[in-house]
Amino acid sequence: MHESLAGFLTTFSSQSPILWALLVMAVIAVTGLVLYGFWEIVLRGISLVFSGGSRKGSNDSAARGGH
């Protein structure tokens, strides 16, 4: 399977360079968005764990002047 995929990609990149460039840019963009979403979920989860799940309450008190 690896050989057939490599053969297809080699042929595709040499026969249509514009489509190849668009494919590469699309793959990079999708990968970037997936990684961004993944790390947002992970870091928000860590933030909730360390804040004790009372993140909303701390934001409300800060909006009222800290009282």
Side-chain angles (χ1 to χ4, degrees):
M1 178 171 164
H2 182 266
E3 292 82 17
S4 63
L5 179 61
F8 167 74
L9 292 175
T10 303
T11 304
F12 184 65
S13 66
S14 65
Q15 289 181 354
S16 6
I18 299 294
L19 288 177
W20 174 253
L22 291 174
L23 175 67
V24 169
M25 288 191 296
V27 167
I28 290 172
V30 168
T31 303
L33 289 173
V34 167
L35 287 174
Y36 172 78
F38 171 75
W39 285 114
E40 277 291 315
I41 291 169
V42 168
L43 294 176
R44 284 181 193 227
I46 290 173
S47 171
L48 285 174
V49 166
F50 284 125
S51 69
S54 61
R55 191 170 159 193
K56 184 172 180 146
S58 64
N59 286 341
D60 290 342
S61 65
R64 291 181 295 211
H67 298 291

